Amino acid sequence: MKHTLFPWERGVRFDRGVLVGELGPGQHRLSWRRSRLHRVDIRPRTMTPAAQDVPTSDGVLVRVTVVVRWAVSSATKFVVESAAPEDELYTAVQLALRGAVLTRAHSAVDAERGAIASEVLAAVAARAGELGVTVSDVAVRDVVMPGELRRAALAELVAASEGRAALERARGETAALRSLLNAARLAEEHPALLELRALQAASTVVVDRPGRRS
């Protein structure tokens, strides 16, 4: 029997139930009575485990979603080591994510997405290798806080904005009062300045227009 493997496939061959080896792309002739061939797709894949509610170190449930980029690095291990290697990788990612979030306060989870992703990647690397898989990238896609915390955060932002506006108004008023105080001191030390200012305000310019000659 002929089997054709494409460039993105590897074949794990068994003869009478005994592992023989791994086949690469191309056409292979196998005995249909004694040989079995397991095809494995080695192209990169993306896994998005279901969002899970994870308790933080301060007891807040945070919903976190990650995206995992992975590919089969050893077709033989992928077939032999586990009956469901993708399920095992899925579980390993979920457990690693839970462990990374548990060590952080809820306010740090969103800010430390990159660090959480790195911890998950490091935590699943060993088990992934045992399954014949290489995890190339992990990214934290979503971090969702409980509704009451989102409302509290919004209120905090509004309060901070109002506080900054009030501070700017107070600075402007302080600057105006300082200018008035300086003017009052000058007037007290130099009374003649008040007279000059009054004359300046009251002065007018008179333009003499010559009359017509008779």
Side-chain angles (χ1 to χ4, degrees):
M1 179 181 295
K2 293 182 181 180
H3 294 268
T4 300
L5 298 177
F6 293 98
W8 58 86
E9 290 182 316
R10 297 295 181 269
V12 181
R13 179 184 172 187
F14 294 84
D15 280 356
R16 296 190 177 96
V18 178
L19 175 65
V20 175
E22 192 171 309
L23 302 178
Q27 193 173 76
H28 306 274
R29 185 181 294 276
L30 304 177
S31 171
W32 66 270
R33 290 184 177 180
R34 65 186 183 188
S35 296
R36 294 292 183 271
L37 189 69
H38 290 262
R39 295 173 180 267
V40 178
D41 192 324
I42 64 170
R43 288 175 291 187
R45 290 174 246 186
T46 298
M47 172 188 293
T48 306
Q52 59 173 319
D53 293 329
V54 184
T56 59
S57 62
D58 50 356
V60 177
L61 285 178
V62 178
R63 180 165 294 180
V64 185
T65 307
V66 295
V67 179
V68 180
R69 185 76 169 168
W70 66 281
V72 173
S73 55
S74 171
T76 300
K77 287 184 178 181
F78 194 74
V79 171
V80 173
E81 295 299 325
S82 173
E86 291 190 48
D87 292 343
E88 291 214 29
L89 179 62
Y90 181 102
T91 301
V93 169
Q94 290 288 64
L95 291 175
L97 176 61
R98 188 176 186 86
V101 173
L102 276 170
T103 62
R104 291 172 166 81
H106 76 274
S107 57
V109 175
D110 189 49
E112 298 181 12
R113 290 183 180 215
I116 291 173
S118 297
E119 289 180 23
V120 173
L121 180 59
V124 302
R127 182 54 182 155
E130 294 172 357
L131 296 170
V133 170
T134 298
V135 178
S136 59
D137 186 54
V138 175
V140 177
R141 189 181 69 180
D142 297 314
V143 176
V144 180
M145 298 290 176
E148 58 272 16
L149 285 181
R150 293 199 300 272
R151 289 190 291 271
L154 179 59
E156 184 177 347
L157 288 174
V158 172
S161 178
E162 292 178 348
R164 287 192 295 270
L167 180 61
E168 290 301 320
R169 287 195 299 270
R171 286 175 178 170
E173 292 173 358
T174 300
L177 289 174
R178 188 177 292 113
S179 296
L180 289 174
L181 179 60
N182 291 335
R185 286 175 180 172
L186 284 174
E188 184 178 358
E189 294 172 1
H190 306 283
L193 289 176
L194 289 177
E195 296 179 7
L196 289 174
R197 178 60 179 163
L199 288 173
Q200 183 183 15
S203 64
T204 58
V205 178
V206 178
V207 178
D208 185 16
R209 297 176 60 188
R212 287 182 294 179
R213 294 180 181 178
S214 55

